[in-house]
Amino acid sequence: GDSVTQMEGPVTLSEEAFLTINCTYTATGYPSLFWYVQYPGEGLQLLLKATKADDKGSNKGFEATYRKETTSFHLEKGSVQVSDSAVYFCALSEGNTPLVFGKGTRLSVIA
Amino acid sequence: DGGITQSPKYLFRKEGQNVTLSCEQNLNHDAMYWYRQDPGQGLRLIYYSQIVNDFQKGDIAEGYSVSREKKESFPLTVTSAQKNPTAFYLCASSSDRGASYSPLHFGNGTRLTVT
């Protein structure tokens, strides 16, 4: 079945550092890909999405490009802030089946 | 403001008791979902419903039950048959009967502790 693999955390960065969180997927067709963010004690919020190959999703300085050839959807941000500290989830959906999530990557940004 | 409301935020129960978690949405979304979150395991799907009066089992449905009598509501009952019920439970909804391009909107979760 479909699956998502993302890098394990935790990831600790200094403020203004460059962030990459790797995500690769396995799917039988052409899924939609998502990144969600979860702040402490809260539910998940959609961060960005891409619905077809070569699409780039972006929001709040975060970006991810749907790479069909490498089955990847890596999350990047050029300069992280303390307020970006959270857990980040990569996810995919195919057809009308429910989202499949990766295990999440905890990011801590220190001042 | 439209959104998803889960209540209560914290819930404590004794082992052997059934407990029902509430989830209400006013987004007019067709599809609703229940996920369970445990440390280091990401989110696992318990049940989902794409239309009223219909629902499907997810990956870990054993020990849980749901109903979908109204579009706005999708309560989850954690029964005494669930072996490890202590967890963080998240409810979500999406439009277009859960089409792949429709993102999920999440509630803020209910943390259930069973002792």
Side-chain angles (χ1 to χ4, degrees), chain A residues 6-30:
Chain A
Q6 60 182 106
M7 64 187 284
E8 298 202 9
V11 173
T12 302
L13 295 173
S14 297
E15 210 165 20
E16 298 184 4
F18 185 86
L19 169 71
T20 299
I21 300 178
N22 291 337
C23 171
T24 57
Y25 67 89
T26 302
T28 53
Y30 302 96

Side-chain angles (χ1 to χ4, degrees), chain B residues 25 27-33 49-52 68 71 93-98:
Chain B
Q25 55 101 356
L27 299 165
N28 199 35
H29 282 174
D30 298 311
M32 296 187 75
Y33 309 81
S49 167
Q50 291 172 316
I51 54 172
V52 175
R68 187 86 187 278
K71 190 175 186 178
S93 70
S94 69
S95 60
D96 298 330
R97 296 195 177 184

Side-chain angles (χ1 to χ4, degrees), chain A residues 34 36 38 41 43 49 95-96, chain B residues 9 37 50 100-101 104 106-107:
Chain A
F34 304 83
Y36 284 82
Q38 184 180 33
K49 71 174 186 179
N96 65 349
Chain B
K9 191 170 175 65
Q37 186 176 19
Q50 291 172 316
S100 64
Y101 52 80
L104 264 60
F106 282 85

Side-chain angles (χ1 to χ4, degrees), chain A residues 57-107:
Chain A
S58 61
N59 186 25
K60 299 181 183 179
F62 291 89
E63 292 183 341
T65 300
Y66 189 141
R67 301 277 187 210
K68 186 168 176 292
E69 63 277 12
T70 55
T71 61
S72 64
F73 192 54
H74 304 322
L75 182 68
E76 296 182 335
K77 187 175 185 183
S79 176
V80 293
Q81 305 300 314
V82 172
S83 57
D84 293 326
S85 298
V87 181
Y88 292 82
F89 292 91
C90 186
L92 72 79
S93 179
E94 198 167 11
N96 65 349
T97 58
L99 275 180
V100 174
F101 286 89
K103 292 191 175 181
T105 302
R106 182 177 299 278
L107 170 66

